[in-house]
Amino acid sequence: KKLAMLARLVREPRLTEHKGGCTLDIGGGLTLSLTCVEVDIIRVSLLRPSGRALDRSWMVAPGMASLPEEGRPKESTEGFAMPDTTLERTVDGSVRLSTGRLRVTVGTAVGEPLRLTWAWHDEATGDWKLLLRDRPTGAYYVGADGRVSHYVSRRRGDAYFGCGERSGALNRAGRRFDLRCVDAMGYDAERSDPLYKFYPFYIGKPCASSADPSGTGEPPEALGPDGHGEPPPLRAVSRGGGGAYGVFYDSMARAALDFGCELNNYHGLFASYQAECGDLDYYVLLGPRVRSVTARSSVAERRDSGV
């Protein structure tokens, strides 16, 4: 079995600006591209030395009624608003890309795993607050066999929604889903997986204890693994907590989304996306409410489609 390579900064990254964002050559043959396509949507791409496995998308089509048979170039920004952005270096040397509502910070410590931290601007308080962060012990893996993986930190009580047609509770916390289509006639509505329709998109809603009390965008102390537990009731999820966000993976490859089924004492609590092949291209969407994420997700889709 071929081992996956952990994406880490092997040297000071070379930074190149482009419209709406920047590209960072992090060493090891890997390139990270960040593009603000909307004031509340940022695209992330992690590219191998050989470039893209597939340079076309049949899933992203902002404002289009239909897609041509040959698809749409993955790096295209046509149809997006492309807002004004701010690109800066922080005191510790990190790279920070911001719109007026959403920002992403890339740590640049040499030798450390590649890690992104997301924050949103709370207009009510004027503060930037933590939204989402990559797993600090290893967030991105690229396999010689074509596999790609992405891991983000989570906390007990965080809620997750989406993934397309799924069995079980609306809150997907504690579950793992196989993203492929099968004709699952007569399936168990509580436990069966996979089913006929899947969608590599989910909405995350941090629990109240995940909120950033300092307003600095820095994460609170991580909790150690403490079992699966029961997902919180939806009424509890809707009250308080941090801002809601969406993550959409632009890939039709067979994959798996895990929202806490897998536990690992070394890494702490995490959620993950693992694909058997293809590229790692994903979009982060800001709510900050759950229903707002659902509405914003349609920005990147055909006018006649929905999540």
Side-chain angles (χ1 to χ4, degrees):
K1 184 177 180 179
K2 298 180 180 178
L3 297 178
M5 177 181 67
L6 169 63
R8 64 171 69 246
L9 288 92
V10 298
R11 55 171 169 73
E12 183 72 17
R14 297 192 184 101
L15 178 66
T16 304
E17 292 189 45
H18 62 247
K19 183 179 180 181
C22 63
T23 299
L24 291 93
D25 180 353
I26 64 172
L30 297 176
T31 302
L32 177 72
S33 177
L34 306 171
T35 306
C36 301
V37 296
E38 299 282 342
V39 71
D40 48 8
I41 304 177
I42 296 179
R43 181 175 67 200
V44 179
S45 300
L46 184 64
L47 304 178
R48 300 179 176 90
S50 57
R52 294 185 179 277
L54 184 64
D55 65 356
R56 298 277 161 169
S57 172
W58 287 264
M59 304 180 75
V60 177
M64 299 174 67
S66 61
L67 272 170
E69 290 185 5
E70 65 272 16
R72 177 179 182 272
K74 274 196 172 183
E75 296 184 0
S76 173
T77 57
E78 183 179 354
F80 286 115
M82 300 304 294
D84 292 335
T85 60
T86 301
L87 181 63
E88 58 186 332
R89 289 272 191 175
T90 64
V91 174
D92 65 358
S94 297
V95 174
R96 177 174 290 166
L97 178 66
S98 311
T99 69
R101 298 193 63 206
L102 180 63
R103 78 181 185 194
V104 57
T105 303
V106 184
T108 57
V110 176
E112 292 296 312
L114 175 64
R115 182 173 68 160
L116 278 58
T117 301
W118 301 81
W120 66 285
H121 188 251
D122 187 341
E123 296 180 354
T125 65
D127 297 324
W128 284 93
K129 297 183 176 180
L130 178 69
L131 184 69
L132 172 70
R133 62 170 181 152
D134 285 338
R135 190 177 71 177
T137 50
Y140 300 92
Y141 292 83
V142 179
D145 58 357
R147 295 174 184 267
V148 292
S149 304
H150 178 215
Y151 296 82
V152 298
S153 294
R154 67 176 183 87
R155 287 171 66 98
R156 184 167 57 90
D158 289 355
Y160 299 92
F161 311 98
C163 308
E165 181 183 16
R166 294 293 149 198
S167 63
L170 183 62
N171 182 1
R172 316 300 193 194
R175 300 269 322 261
R176 180 182 177 89
F177 298 100
D178 186 355
L179 302 185
R180 61 189 173 100
C181 299
V182 298
D183 193 0
M185 182 176 180
Y187 67 83
D188 184 324
E190 183 178 6
R191 301 182 183 279
S192 291
D193 183 71
L195 300 182
Y196 188 61
K197 297 178 182 179
F198 79 86
Y199 199 63
F201 169 77
Y202 70 87
I203 297 174
K205 181 65 175 74
C207 66
S209 62
S210 299
D212 174 28
S214 67
T216 63
E218 292 301 316
E221 289 297 317
L223 295 177
D226 47 11
H228 298 266
E230 290 295 323
L234 292 183
R235 280 181 294 180
V237 167
S238 65
R239 298 173 184 166
Y245 59 87
V247 180
F248 168 68
Y249 293 94
D250 185 10
S251 174
M252 295 187 293
R254 179 175 177 177
L257 276 168
D258 189 309
F259 301 112
C261 183
E262 180 182 353
L263 298 174
N264 187 303
N265 187 60
Y266 174 74
H267 293 292
L269 301 182
F270 59 86
S272 67
Y273 168 83
Q274 300 170 321
E276 291 189 352
C277 60
D279 304 301
L280 189 54
D281 294 286
Y282 68 93
Y283 292 75
V284 171
L285 301 79
L286 170 64
R289 304 180 68 181
V290 170
R291 66 182 181 183
S292 303
V293 179
T294 304
R296 290 302 288 159
S297 68
S298 64
V299 171
E301 300 191 352
R302 298 193 307 271
R303 291 198 299 266
D304 60 353
S305 68
V307 175

